[in-house]
Amino acid sequence: MSRETAPRVATSPERVHEERSRSALLLLLLGGGFFLIGCVDSLLLWIPTRFSSVAWEFATVGRTLDGLPMPALGLGLMTYGAVRHPRMGRSWMRAFGILFGVSAMLLVMAAILFATSAPAVLTSTPSEAVEGVRRAVFRHGFQAVIYPVVMASIAALMWRGGRE
């Protein structure tokens, strides 16, 4: 029994270039949308600020960490789209590396704020709600460690990869 193979279609370099440009642009647009929506959502959590309220600090940092996947995914898609775009390519890697680095620093500051507010929230929580708050402390504490490490690692990779 012989297997038929599909005929090979020769594609021109211009066609490949055009398709690569379109797919990269799609990633840039989709990523940009996710990034902007996620950033606006996060920003609105912090306005108006109430840094004198430990409960507000705890809840705001927690909600920010919970909402982080959308802007992080958006930034990742934008980065990949820019790197794969024929006209942008490697020259944009350092710019996205800086964005990931700034994100990592902001997350470290949020983690410090969370770490300083969590003990006070735990001690002031009624006994019937302590278990839920402990779980929130664990979940958000875990996120506050992992997210900055991932963002800083990506920043370093982008920075090193952007050298031409």
Side-chain angles (χ1 to χ4, degrees):
M1 181 189 254
S2 71
R3 229 173 80 168
E4 288 187 33
T5 59
R8 292 188 162 217
V9 177
T11 57
S12 68
E14 294 84 22
R15 174 107 172 127
V16 171
H17 181 77
E18 181 182 319
E19 287 180 12
R20 187 171 174 186
S21 292
R22 282 188 191 157
S23 62
L25 186 59
L26 174 68
L27 291 172
L28 282 163
L29 291 172
L30 184 63
F34 282 165
F35 182 71
L36 287 174
I37 290 169
C39 286
V40 167
D41 283 348
S42 293
L43 182 65
L44 291 176
L45 293 172
W46 291 86
I47 299 171
T49 59
R50 284 184 261 144
F51 284 108
S52 58
S53 169
V54 175
W56 177 85
E57 293 171 1
F58 180 83
T60 302
V61 171
R63 289 172 55 200
T64 300
L65 291 169
D66 284 341
L68 195 59
M70 183 174 286
L73 177 63
L75 188 55
L77 288 172
M78 286 178 13
T79 302
Y80 190 70
V83 169
R84 299 297 298 163
H85 196 282
R87 287 190 209 107
M88 296 175 86
R90 294 175 60 92
S91 62
W92 281 82
M93 289 178 84
R94 284 202 166 179
F96 281 102
I98 291 169
L99 280 173
F100 276 104
V102 168
S103 298
M105 287 188 283
L106 290 172
L107 287 166
V108 167
M109 290 189 296
I112 292 168
L113 184 62
F114 183 78
T116 59
S117 65
V121 169
L122 276 169
T123 58
S124 66
T125 300
S127 58
E128 60 271 0
V130 168
E131 186 59 34
V133 173
R134 281 188 187 145
R135 288 177 190 220
V137 168
F138 178 77
R139 182 178 75 241
H140 296 131
F142 184 74
Q143 291 171 331
V145 170
I146 298 300
Y147 280 135
V149 168
V150 169
M151 294 289 189
S153 299
I154 294 171
L157 287 171
M158 292 293 105
W159 188 259
R160 278 188 250 135
R163 285 182 282 176
E164 298 193 26

